[in-house]
Amino acid sequence: MQTYPTGVAAKATGTPLTTLQRYLQRSHITLQPCDVPSRGCGENRGYSQRRIIQIALTTELARLGIGPSRAAKAAFEFSDKGNTGRPVGELYPLGQTLLVGLPDGKSVVINIPPDKSISDVLSNDSAAFICDCGYVVAKVLSNLSKS
């Protein structure tokens, strides 16, 4: 699996390097088996595409006023957990893929089919925040293709 160095990850996500380092130091973002940890011998840390997308979603949610701990946990629901019809770290093939933070602190990834509205899908659930994963993923993939 391809990984990217810290500078590329920061640039692709629009996350200032100091903020990315803070996310890691405070364990908001934790490296997973698909990432490469720094071994301290001049070997750079490597971020997988999934981790870069988690960082981008975390940064986007933080810009919306969501605390980094909650933002990173919510982003992990998209980047590292799949749903029926949606592989891990990928968008639903049709419609919109939304990351929804619920008032109880939990987060879910939902699909809004082309013929439905968000109110049809959320039914009686109220949302604390909603983030369009498609927009964030497209921005990250575009930036990574330029690196």
Side-chain angles (χ1 to χ4, degrees):
M1 179 176 283
Q2 181 177 7
T3 60
Y4 302 87
T6 302
V8 171
K11 187 174 180 181
T13 61
T15 307
L17 196 52
T18 55
T19 301
L20 177 52
Q21 291 168 339
R22 192 174 328 112
Y23 288 165
L24 291 163
Q25 289 168 348
R26 295 184 180 167
S27 298
H28 300 310
I29 302 287
T30 56
L31 299 182
Q32 301 297 311
C34 55
D35 304 300
V36 178
S38 174
R39 291 181 179 39
C41 321
E43 191 175 323
N44 291 327
R45 183 178 288 130
Y47 298 88
S48 64
Q49 182 176 303
R50 285 185 2 210
R51 201 64 40 238
I52 291 172
I53 289 172
Q54 182 191 15
I55 294 164
L57 285 166
T58 300
T59 298
E60 184 68 21
L61 291 170
R63 284 187 189 130
L64 296 172
I66 308 302
S69 178
R70 181 160 188 207
K73 286 177 188 169
F76 190 82
E77 288 295 318
F78 175 81
S79 64
D80 289 78
K81 295 184 180 180
N83 300 84
T84 302
R86 183 188 74 84
V88 171
E90 294 185 22
L91 300 168
Y92 282 101
L94 292 173
Q96 283 186 291
T97 303
L98 302 179
L99 178 58
V100 179
L102 303 172
D104 64 2
K106 295 180 183 173
S107 301
V108 294
V109 177
I110 63 169
N111 179 228
I112 307 296
D115 61 338
K116 301 262 184 193
S117 72
I118 192 166
S119 60
D120 294 333
V121 174
L122 277 179
S123 63
N124 294 330
D125 294 332
S126 58
F129 63 82
I130 298 172
C131 180
D132 183 350
C133 295
Y135 165 77
V136 175
V137 169
K139 183 174 71 170
V140 167
L141 295 179
S142 174
N143 289 341
L144 286 176
S145 72
K146 296 173 188 172
S147 65

